[in-house]
Amino acid sequence: MDGRALQARHVLIATGARPVPLGIPGEELVSTSDAFLELERLPRRIVLIGGGYVAAEFSHLSARAGAEVTILQRAPRLLPNFDHELVGWLMPRFEELGITVETGATVARVERVQDGLIVHASRPGAPDLAVAADLVVHAAGRGPDLDALNLAAGQVTVRDGRLQLNEHLQSVSNPRVYAAGDAAAVGPPLTPVSSHDAKVVAANLLDGPTHRPDYRGVPSVAFTVPSIAAVGLSEDEASRQGLKFRVNAASTPQWFTARRLAERVYGHKVLIEEGTDRILGAHLVGPHAEEVINLFGLAIRHGLTAADLRSTMFAYPTGASDVGYML
């Protein structure tokens, strides 16, 4: 700020997120995902550190534009927030695009050399890696962007880098302060969640702290080609909750939706609760997954059953017309 003192009855913290520190030598040589989107020219050799949404999407975009792409992912597989079986169905697309994927690879340092950069990574039980690059992009996650705020001066409690909020998105230590979106870090780190949080906070400012966010049925999508999408519970989550459910899962590249686009990756996994017939979770990969997942999100949020979806007539031929066969 420019030294001005601002007074207000309430304060909303909505500063978004920033890349989490990598804590490695040469970190200053690593670009951010924001900077990547502002590039005027695409470098020939690109290394992506991380294996989530950003790494998957940027790798597809870059490889299709002609770049040599390497992903260095510390975890055992890419896209850990998505169903492992569907991720497996998608991985041949990475191979076909020439994207090199190194899992179990922990980046140790980045160094500048005469003709670019070298990224060094270690792998348990395997030789260390040294990957040449013209651009290295941080895709290893983001956290609430709070460091520039003197929150202690406002008696706003932070623990482990996160604001301490109650169920109304209100600071537990200073009730005049609210937070929303990635800065709040309560719901999934997705754009629609930020908008939803903002509406909840606005309602609480007008009515008093009586409104709560509702994160039921929030879909998430990685916009690879084809896309992979999820909403609701995974099999592990449903099992941990003690729910009784059946799973309808299949790889279906022979279905017309995939065949008419010459797409060899198409599949689904849907969790349906025994007894109630409620949709507990849906996981899709293939053409139109980014749109069809919204129908399952609608069902989860409003308690629609598998029978409700099966009895609905969708326009044909569309991706949605396959929903009945996924149940």
Side-chain angles (χ1 to χ4, degrees):
M1 294 293 290
D2 56 6
R4 289 179 297 164
L6 303 178
Q7 291 186 334
R9 187 183 308 169
H10 293 97
V11 173
L12 169 62
I13 299 174
T15 49
R18 62 179 178 85
V20 298
L22 296 173
I24 59 172
E27 184 168 0
E28 71 279 1
L29 302 174
V30 179
S31 181
T32 65
S33 57
D34 304 79
F36 176 89
L37 293 173
E38 296 174 358
L39 290 172
E40 295 185 3
R41 297 174 62 87
L42 192 67
R44 181 173 64 88
R45 302 169 300 175
I46 299 174
V47 170
L48 295 156
I49 300 175
Y53 298 85
V54 172
E57 294 172 353
F58 283 12
S59 67
H60 274 232
L61 187 156
S62 300
R64 289 175 181 275
E68 299 174 13
V69 183
T70 300
I71 297 175
L72 300 177
Q73 161 70 321
R74 183 171 59 181
R77 65 178 179 88
L78 290 191
L79 296 167
N81 290 331
F82 292 89
D83 181 85
H84 69 92
E85 189 171 10
L86 273 67
V87 172
W89 296 341
L90 179 62
M91 288 311 298
R93 270 289 182 254
F94 288 78
E95 298 169 12
E96 292 166 11
L97 289 170
I99 299 167
T100 300
V101 178
E102 300 287 356
T103 56
T106 300
V107 174
R109 72 182 194 278
V110 180
E111 65 173 326
R112 187 180 296 282
V113 294
Q114 186 173 0
D115 63 344
L117 303 169
I118 300 289
V119 184
H120 297 269
S122 61
R123 296 178 297 175
D128 291 348
L129 295 169
V131 185
D134 301 303
L135 176 69
V136 181
V137 181
H138 185 309
R142 299 167 73 90
D145 190 4
L146 305 175
D147 288 355
L149 305 178
N150 187 357
L151 295 173
Q155 299 179 339
V156 177
T157 303
V158 178
R159 184 176 301 150
D160 297 327
R162 290 175 177 263
L163 295 166
Q164 297 300 290
L165 307 173
N166 63 20
E167 60 188 355
H168 308 294
L169 300 178
Q170 182 182 37
S171 169
V172 297
S173 57
N174 186 342
R176 293 187 178 275
V177 176
Y178 289 82
D182 289 349
V186 177
L190 302 168
T191 300
V193 169
S194 297
S195 300
H196 176 73
D197 283 358
K199 294 174 183 176
V200 170
V201 170
N204 283 329
L205 293 178
L206 294 172
D207 303 334
T210 57
H211 302 274
R212 304 175 179 85
D214 180 358
Y215 302 124
R216 291 175 301 157
V218 180
S220 60
V221 181
F223 290 94
T224 48
V225 181
S227 56
I228 185 169
V231 66
L233 301 178
S234 67
E235 287 183 87
D236 288 343
E237 290 168 337
S239 295
R240 285 197 297 269
Q241 292 183 23
L243 298 172
K244 302 296 183 182
F245 59 95
R246 66 183 186 275
V247 178
N248 286 351
S251 174
T252 55
Q254 74 278 10
W255 286 8
F256 181 65
T257 298
R259 288 172 53 210
R260 71 184 178 88
L261 296 173
E263 178 55 70
R264 296 184 299 280
V265 176
Y266 192 43
H268 62 273
K269 179 177 291 186
V270 182
L271 283 61
I272 303 168
E273 188 174 31
E274 298 285 3
T276 67
D277 202 37
R278 290 187 307 129
I279 307 295
L280 297 178
H283 308 269
L284 311 177
V285 63
H288 312 300
E290 72 279 2
E291 292 289 353
V292 176
I293 199 67
N294 291 317
L295 298 174
F296 287 103
L298 180 74
I300 290 172
R301 192 170 184 86
H302 297 285
L304 301 181
T305 65
D308 291 329
L309 292 182
R310 278 194 298 267
S311 66
T312 301
M313 289 185 284
F314 297 104
Y316 179 87
T318 64
S321 63
D322 288 341
V323 167
Y325 300 102
M326 297 177 180
L327 302 168

